[in-house]
Amino acid sequence: YADGRHWTNKHMAWLRSLPFDSTDLQGVFDSYHGEMEHCRQRLATLDKEVAALAERSEYKEVVGLLRCLRGVDTLTAITLLTELFEFGRFDSPRKLMAYLGLVPSEASSGEKRRPGAITKTGNGRVRRLLIESAWHYRHRASVSKELKHRRDGQPLWAIDVADRAMARLYKRYHRLIERGKVPSKAVVAVARELAGFLWSLLHEHQRRQIQAAT
């Protein structure tokens, strides 16, 4: 297929139009195509269930705050909240980074210390999602139409945190690239700092809640 992006409606229509001379080949294709359609429908159903979960009173406000960040939409936000539960148990950004296995390991010999690869301890699912989100920060800081829509109705302080994250992480990624780091390693470093911004955002939310209650 060379007439646009894969897995679009146009691509799917092209797949369905493919002719086969052999009934055996047609049968194999129909079997694979039917299984793929089943998976697509199942994913669509799960997306709706996640969206409904994010609308629950215990999640809605915080999901809205997290979606102010570039690269964080409903699925990532709800996964962060349900996997990590209470962010208050991490009393510093560094502890959250360590829990997610995003901090470098160390190889020590005598008085020498050499940083190694990230530890990859803790919650691998959240770590993977943060690394996926971190790829968005290689692009110049800007607010897309979709991101602007996600920010509608959100407090200015949360948008300010998200804007600072966007500006800082873009610079961080490109500084590392200029120093010769490969993109995959630069993105992991960005994901580590993104975890810090998440911590800052949610702790500020908690502080404001406590302040409003007193």
Side-chain angles (χ1 to χ4, degrees), residues 119-168:
T119 61
K120 294 185 179 180
T121 58
N123 195 305
R125 186 177 290 106
V126 174
R127 180 173 62 251
R128 176 180 59 79
L129 282 175
L130 284 183
I131 290 172
E132 287 180 2
S133 296
W135 280 105
H136 291 263
Y137 291 92
R138 70 189 189 278
H139 302 299
R140 189 175 298 278
S142 64
V143 179
S144 65
K145 184 177 179 180
E146 182 183 347
L147 181 55
K148 185 178 180 181
H149 176 70
R150 297 206 308 262
R151 290 178 171 189
D152 282 348
Q154 296 304 319
L156 290 177
W157 69 263
I159 295 172
D160 179 61
V161 171
D163 281 343
R164 284 191 283 112
M166 191 157 46
R168 176 178 171 82

Side-chain angles (χ1 to χ4, degrees), residues 39-66:
C39 290
R40 281 162 58 91
Q41 291 169 10
R42 178 63 178 147
L43 282 172
T45 300
L46 290 172
D47 283 342
K48 289 178 182 177
E49 291 178 3
V50 168
L53 179 64
E55 286 293 313
R56 289 186 188 175
S57 57
E58 64 266 38
Y59 296 123
K60 186 174 182 178
E61 184 177 2
V62 185
V63 166
L65 297 176
L66 291 174

Side-chain angles (χ1 to χ4, degrees), residues 55-211:
E55 286 293 313
R56 289 186 188 175
S57 57
E58 64 266 38
Y59 296 123
K60 186 174 182 178
E61 184 177 2
V62 185
V63 166
L65 297 176
L66 291 174
R67 291 174 80 236
C68 291
L69 291 159
R70 182 186 238 179
V72 178
D73 209 338
T74 304
L75 178 59
T76 300
I78 201 68
T79 303
L80 286 166
L81 295 174
T82 54
E83 291 284 337
L84 299 179
F85 301 102
E86 179 55 61
F87 268 77
R89 64 196 174 109
F90 304 105
D91 57 18
S92 72
R94 183 74 180 177
K95 288 189 176 179
L96 175 59
M97 296 171 193
Y99 174 75
L100 296 175
L102 287 168
V103 296
S105 58
E106 279 191 2
S108 301
S109 177
E111 295 182 359
K112 293 182 179 179
R113 282 184 170 182
R114 288 181 299 174
I118 58 171
T119 61
K120 294 185 179 180
T121 58
N123 195 305
R125 186 177 290 106
V126 174
R127 180 173 62 251
R128 176 180 59 79
L129 282 175
L130 284 183
I131 290 172
E132 287 180 2
S133 296
W135 280 105
H136 291 263
Y137 291 92
R138 70 189 189 278
H139 302 299
R140 189 175 298 278
S142 64
V143 179
S144 65
K145 184 177 179 180
E146 182 183 347
L147 181 55
K148 185 178 180 181
H149 176 70
R150 297 206 308 262
R151 290 178 171 189
D152 282 348
Q154 296 304 319
L156 290 177
W157 69 263
I159 295 172
D160 179 61
V161 171
D163 281 343
R164 284 191 283 112
M166 191 157 46
R168 176 178 171 82
L169 298 181
Y170 169 78
K171 290 178 182 177
R172 174 71 168 151
Y173 175 84
H174 286 280
R175 282 198 192 107
L176 290 169
I177 294 297
E178 288 167 6
R179 287 165 49 189
K181 295 289 185 182
V182 296
S184 57
K185 289 187 176 181
V187 163
V188 169
V190 169
R192 181 164 54 247
E193 292 202 23
L194 177 58
F197 279 103
L198 287 168
W199 183 93
S200 176
L201 185 70
L202 292 177
H203 272 257
E204 177 62 18
H205 169 63
Q206 291 175 338
R207 186 190 69 79
R208 288 170 179 265
Q209 280 189 317
I210 293 169
Q211 191 177 51

Side-chain angles (χ1 to χ4, degrees), residues 11-31:
H11 179 217
M12 298 304 291
W14 176 81
L15 282 173
R16 288 191 292 270
S17 71
L18 289 175
F20 293 94
D21 297 331
S22 164
T23 55
D24 291 335
L25 287 176
Q26 185 67 56
V28 171
F29 174 84
D30 290 344
S31 176

